[in-house]
Amino acid sequence: MIAFLAMAPLDKSGDVSFILDKNQVENAPERMRVEQARYVGQDNNGQKFLIVANRALQRTSEQPIVDIWGMLARFGLAQGPVTVAANQGQYNLDQQKVTVQGPVRVAGPEGEQLVTRDVTVDLKQNVMTSDGGVAGRMELGQFEASRLRANLNDRTVVLDGGARLKIVQGAVR
């Protein structure tokens, strides 16, 4: 049977069908498991985005938590693409929040870089907050702070707790 199924696509005679008995198929212990997930779309402004995850797992339907590993997002902005990468996180289906444990790295189209850790993204409110320190650089200079809060709708970022900025003289003209 296995040899037939392996060779069937090479046969030019047409489609092959078979019946699979649902009682003889193993049930997965997880509610949902996805390998190499890829989501491509456009935002309300017509700008393209791509979100990928190496693996996602919802352990049971009673728990609204999806564990995610190997996250990468790429957003096409007018200035160029922005890339966001993180190792692992969780998505709460009920609260519509993504919680990232560990480092988060952001790279902008003009060499901007931001590194922070332990981030929560509230998809209902379009707000991102970090519980860990934040450091980065941009054309104007370098910055660091204890925490970060970003409003994705207003495109504003607030550095909180010991915020420091080192401006490069003559960098912006």
Side-chain angles (χ1 to χ4, degrees):
M1 177 77 162
I2 292 173
F4 171 74
L5 290 174
M7 297 303 287
L10 302 176
D11 184 18
K12 297 190 189 291
S13 64
D15 294 335
V16 175
S17 64
F18 60 93
I19 298 173
L20 182 63
D21 185 356
K22 67 179 182 176
N23 296 324
Q24 294 180 1
V25 176
E26 289 186 52
N27 288 327
E30 308 93 9
R31 169 78 173 145
M32 176 180 67
R33 179 178 59 201
V34 179
E35 303 284 335
Q36 298 297 319
R38 180 180 173 103
Y39 182 62
V40 178
Q42 287 185 347
D43 66 11
N44 293 337
N45 297 327
Q47 297 172 323
K48 295 181 180 184
F49 64 84
L50 164 70
I51 301 172
V52 295
N54 291 339
R55 188 169 164 233
L57 174 69
Q58 181 181 9
R59 297 187 193 284
T60 69
S61 58
E62 290 81 32
Q63 276 190 328
I65 304 296
V66 178
D67 294 312
I68 305 169
W69 294 272
M71 300 179 287
L72 176 75
R74 185 177 177 105
F75 304 96
L77 302 179
Q79 304 88 343
V82 173
T83 304
V84 181
N87 295 332
Q88 65 182 13
Q90 293 183 323
Y91 176 54
N92 186 313
L93 297 164
D94 292 345
Q95 296 177 359
Q96 292 188 11
K97 289 185 180 179
V98 177
T99 305
V100 177
Q101 300 92 21
V104 177
R105 293 168 297 286
V106 180
E110 298 172 353
E112 305 94 343
Q113 291 186 354
L114 180 134
V115 178
T116 188
R117 60 180 306 107
D118 305 329
V119 170
T120 300
V121 180
D122 186 329
L123 298 173
K124 285 183 185 176
Q125 302 292 322
N126 280 335
V127 173
M128 180 183 90
T129 56
S130 74
D131 290 331
V134 58
R137 75 170 187 239
M138 56 189 166
E139 188 178 7
L140 183 62
Q142 299 174 351
F143 61 90
E144 62 183 55
S146 298
R147 288 172 301 284
L148 166 86
R149 179 176 169 83
N151 184 317
L152 305 175
N153 290 330
D154 299 344
R155 298 184 129 192
T156 58
V157 176
V158 176
L159 300 173
D160 186 28
R164 296 173 47 138
L165 174 64
K166 180 180 177 184
I167 297 174
V168 176
Q169 295 294 321
V172 180
R173 295 202 184 254

